[in-house]
Amino acid sequence: MAGMCRHTGRRLEGWDHIAQSLEVIFTTRINTRVERRAFGSVAPDLQDRPGNDETVLSHFVSIAEALDAFEPRVELNGFRLAEIDAGGNGRIEVDVTVRATGVQNTIGVSV
């Protein structure tokens, strides 16, 4: 499947298109799209919460649910907390496999 880069307007295909779609899913709050109210993730609502185990687990769950609901082109392989600072800001790395090709990729999600 091909699409268009939302920043440059250039054509996107393969992993680049999927990565852009994942970014949109993970950064869109549920109920903010008029025609697709269920689209998005709970992850943006978890911003500014304490950087504890409960919040990290909530991020993992929100990412898994969003992938399952809105991105059938990938299969979730796992997560890892790549970094977190004293203020609770961090990065989760999400490992996925592209179903069409079997290629494994990682995308970072800011938390």
Side-chain angles (χ1 to χ4, degrees):
M1 176 182 269
M4 181 176 72
C5 177
R6 64 190 191 135
H7 301 290
T8 65
R10 71 179 175 86
R11 182 178 172 87
L12 288 180
E13 294 184 45
W15 173 248
D16 292 334
H17 187 248
I18 292 171
Q20 176 178 269
S21 295
L22 293 175
E23 179 186 347
V24 170
I25 292 167
F26 297 149
T27 59
T28 301
R29 282 188 163 79
I30 293 174
N31 286 324
T32 58
R33 294 236 172 147
V34 174
E35 295 294 323
R36 295 185 70 193
R37 292 288 184 189
F39 181 82
S41 169
V42 178
D45 295 327
L46 298 172
Q47 294 292 331
D48 298 326
R49 295 229 177 135
N52 58 24
D53 292 342
E54 181 181 337
T55 302
V56 171
L57 182 60
S58 295
H59 274 287
F60 288 167
V61 170
S62 71
I63 290 167
E65 288 175 343
L67 282 175
D68 185 50
F70 302 111
E71 191 47 88
R73 296 177 291 176
V74 298
E75 179 179 331
L76 177 63
N77 296 333
F79 307 99
R80 69 185 152 279
L81 184 60
E83 61 182 271
I84 194 160
D85 64 20
N89 302 311
R91 187 167 187 79
I92 294 173
E93 292 182 350
V94 182
D95 298 322
V96 297
T97 299
V98 178
R99 293 181 195 268
T101 63
V103 174
Q104 296 181 357
N105 287 293
T106 300
I107 186 164
V109 179
S110 295
V111 296

